[in-house]
Amino acid sequence: MGKVRVRYVCQQCGADSGRWFGRCVACGEWNTCVEEQTSPEAKQTRRAGEWVKANPPQPITEVVGGREDRIETAIGEFDRTLGGGIVPGMAALVGGDPGIGKSTLLLQGVAQLAFSGMKTLYVSAEESPRQTRMRAQRIGALSDELYLISESNLDLICGYIEEMQPVAVVVDSVQTIFSPDLQSAPGSVAQVRESSAKLVALGKRTGTSIFLIGHVTKEGTVAGPRVLEHIVDTVLYLEGEQHGAFRILRAAKNRFGSTNEIGIFEMCDRGMVEVDNPSQVFLPEREADREGTAIVCTIEGTRPILVEVQALVSRSNFGYPQRVATGFDARRMAILIAVLEKRSGLQLGAEDIFLNVAGGLRIDEPAVDLGVAMAMASSFRSRQMSRDTVVIGEVGLGGEVRAVSQIERRMAEARKLGFTQCVAAKTNLSGTRIPDGLSLIGVQDVDAAQDVVFS
Ligand code: TYD
Ligand code: MG
């Protein structure tokens, strides 16, 4: 091992200032200086005469490939989000607000692997093994093959992993571990990056899957560096309302699968429980028609999910009307409001408008546009929509309703849950197979849609 050298590099201009400065001596930017390690070996292969052809280029067809083997954890929703299970040697970052259930979910995940006889390791720098054991006991995650350590020194953690050769390791959390080679405090950009890079490299070498837990800051990025997202293969975010019971696991990046799939869980006293039928969860009791609500159907990954959108439109008491959207893009909402004003003549300019997607789900598929517009129109006009109706369609700036993809699967889900009427774009009608018991009404624009749903 060559001697490790430490550099202080500006992330803006790349200048090495020799020691830490709050302001870069070269380009004058503030807070860009980050401690970095360089190891002399890294450069050796490039030196003249020492050209090492370890991995020469080869034709793509001669690269040994085939299917990557997946390890399933028996937590279906977790495997689904990963793209069908854990890939040996993969590195995943699991982010989310404090208290959302990251530790619980991953403890359950590695316990499931341990139950099927695979050795796993849970590194907790935040909690003592005793605390972790108590939690594991409560959620039924006690297995002889699940090992615990409470350690924050990166070198020791790597040592244990190399010695144990577990199938999967959880590091809880990446912000609390530190490399003794760096002077920066745990949680700093330099430390988080260095620790993650080392663990990821170790995982690739030994075939151990690494799960790094990271806390998310208010801005929604994993605290400290975004760079971490580039180091790992997969980035998962666990989200949901702190006070609601539902949690959604979403892949923001996945080298081994699609990023569309979501996993849905409910936080119970036994830990995170999978939700098998999401539509049932996100649809509240439908005993009575209510103003300002619309049922939409969104496709998350490969699953259609029915969701209730709620809107409240009320006269503003202050000069500047409020527009608040929960679970929906606020800009998209502003566009739909403008469309309703301009194309349908609804005077929404002086109204406060609140929009909420029930159950804590975040929907950003354009196919829910029409439903959102109808919910707002319903509240503003004090007209109810039939509770047997599902609204599906994208809305253009001209107020026209556009066709959406996978309409048949959406209708099938609606039928399955007892809906009898579906309002969608007229252009969606041709060639579409309509399930028995459901009627499909095609509309051309938001005006026509209102005529149908409020008739
Ligand atoms: P935790 O996994 O510690 O969250 P994170 O690691 O993301 O910070 O979960 C914290 C919350 O979950 C805590 O407020 C209590 C709740 N919880 C349950 O409701 N049921 C359970 O079985 C467990 C273990 C936790
Ligand atoms: Mg935790």
Side-chain angles (χ1 to χ4, degrees):
M1 277 286 267
K3 201 174 160 293
V4 176
R5 208 171 71 84
V6 175
R7 310 193 308 155
Y8 293 86
V9 181
C10 171
Q11 302 294 293
Q12 189 80 23
C13 70
D16 179 359
S17 46
R19 71 176 181 85
W20 195 84
F21 286 102
R23 186 178 187 191
C24 175
V25 287
C27 70
E29 270 301 313
W30 288 94
N31 284 327
T32 54
C33 187
V34 167
E35 189 182 15
E36 270 181 10
Q37 268 185 31
T38 58
S39 63
E41 301 108 87
K43 289 200 181 113
Q44 270 173 13
T45 50
R46 270 182 271 138
R47 224 181 268 159
E50 282 182 49
W51 176 244
V52 186
K53 285 188 187 171
N55 294 308
Q58 52 179 327
I60 190 167
T61 48
E62 282 171 29
V63 175
V64 184
R67 281 167 51 89
E68 74 245 324
D69 22 299
R70 299 262 183 176
I71 307 168
E72 288 181 6
T73 60
I75 304 179
E77 295 290 301
F78 186 60
D79 293 342
R80 167 202 289 279
T81 315
L82 286 172
I86 295 172
V87 178
M90 80 183 295
L93 172 69
V94 182
D97 289 329
I100 203 81
K102 302 180 293 296
S103 305
T104 308
L105 179 63
L106 287 171
L107 187 61
Q108 284 176 281
V110 286
Q112 287 302 331
L113 293 177
F115 283 134
S116 37
M118 286 175 261
K119 199 182 273 182
T120 55
L121 177 65
Y122 192 98
V123 182
S124 179
E126 298 190 341
E127 294 170 38
S128 67
R130 206 175 142 261
Q131 274 175 306
T132 310
R133 189 212 144 102
M134 273 159 35
R135 177 197 300 236
Q137 202 155 5
R138 200 148 40 83
I139 61 180
L142 288 187
S143 163
D144 291 337
E145 296 296 320
L146 171 56
Y147 287 72
L148 299 181
I149 45 168
S150 180
E151 183 56 68
S152 54
N153 184 328
L154 177 69
D155 289 348
L156 295 178
I157 295 171
C158 289
Y160 289 128
I161 295 175
E162 250 169 302
E163 199 179 279
M164 257 186 73
Q165 300 268 334
V167 167
V169 177
V170 174
V171 177
D172 189 1
S173 69
V174 71
Q175 272 107 4
T176 47
I177 56 174
F178 69 95
S179 162
D181 294 332
L182 294 180
Q183 270 117 52
S184 330
S188 65
V189 176
Q191 284 288 6
V192 170
R193 193 164 64 180
E194 173 70 15
S195 313
S196 316
K198 266 201 182 146
L199 285 163
V200 171
L202 177 63
K204 294 265 178 281
R205 192 150 48 78
T206 58
T208 299
S209 306
I210 309 278
F211 289 88
L212 304 169
I213 294 181
H215 298 300
V216 166
T217 56
K218 274 244 169 61
E219 292 74 42
T221 57
V222 172
R226 262 321 267 268
V227 281
L228 229 141
E229 300 191 342
H230 301 289
I231 297 175
V232 296
D233 300 311
T234 302
V235 179
L236 303 176
Y237 282 107
L238 189 60
E239 41 193 58
E241 284 169 49
Q242 197 74 251
H243 304 287
F246 297 107
R247 302 284 187 269
I248 291 150
L249 186 67
R250 206 181 273 278
K253 162 181 175 179
N254 195 355
R255 284 191 186 139
F256 306 112
S258 110
T259 51
N260 296 322
E261 291 293 351
I262 60 169
I264 303 172
F265 299 91
E266 188 174 358
M267 181 60 108
C268 314
D269 51 353
R270 289 170 293 125
M272 302 273 267
V273 179
E274 292 178 67
V275 172
D276 295 327
N277 193 343
S279 291
Q280 236 146 28
V281 164
F282 293 111
L283 284 183
E285 306 284 305
R286 288 182 297 133
E287 326 77 37
D289 299 348
R290 250 183 300 164
E291 271 171 30
T293 66
I295 310 294
V296 300
C297 185
T298 175
I299 298 223
E300 292 286 348
T302 52
R303 274 187 300 190
I305 300 177
L306 293 178
V307 193
E308 186 185 75
V309 175
Q310 307 170 334
L312 181 64
V313 178
S314 78
R315 181 53 39 127
S316 177
N317 288 320
F318 302 103
Y320 196 75
Q322 296 189 67
R323 302 286 152 89
V324 182
T326 313
F328 190 73
D329 181 29
R331 263 173 305 178
R332 192 85 207 145
M333 172 189 177
I335 292 172
L336 294 171
I337 292 170
V339 168
L340 286 175
E341 285 205 303
K342 187 92 179 171
R343 309 290 168 195
S344 299
L346 304 188
Q347 301 288 318
L348 296 165
E351 307 284 331
D352 284 337
I353 304 181
F354 305 96
L355 195 69
N356 183 37
V357 177
L361 197 70
R362 199 187 71 217
I363 47 179
D364 39 24
E365 209 200 1
V368 304
D369 283 356
L370 186 60
V372 170
M374 289 306 107
M376 293 191 291
S378 162
S379 177
F380 178 71
R381 296 176 52 181
S382 300
R383 301 283 294 273
Q384 306 169 346
M385 211 177 299
S386 154
R387 65 191 164 119
D388 296 320
T389 304
V390 175
V391 186
I392 304 168
E394 184 181 339
V395 174
L397 293 186
E400 76 278 15
V401 177
R402 299 229 186 96
V404 302
S405 62
Q406 309 191 50
I407 184 83
E408 293 182 1
R409 301 196 36 225
R410 296 178 207 257
M411 287 193 299
E413 179 75 5
R415 184 69 206 111
K416 206 170 86 191
L417 282 135
F419 289 87
T420 54
Q421 180 172 281
C422 176
V423 178
K426 207 163 209 162
T427 40
N428 251 146
L429 287 177
S430 62
T432 303
R433 247 182 331 122
I434 301 165
D436 288 341
L438 192 82
S439 64
L440 176 62
I441 303 173
V443 293
Q444 213 145 16
D445 52 32
V446 284
D447 269 347
Q450 289 178 70
D451 290 344
V452 172
V453 300
F454 303 134
S455 63

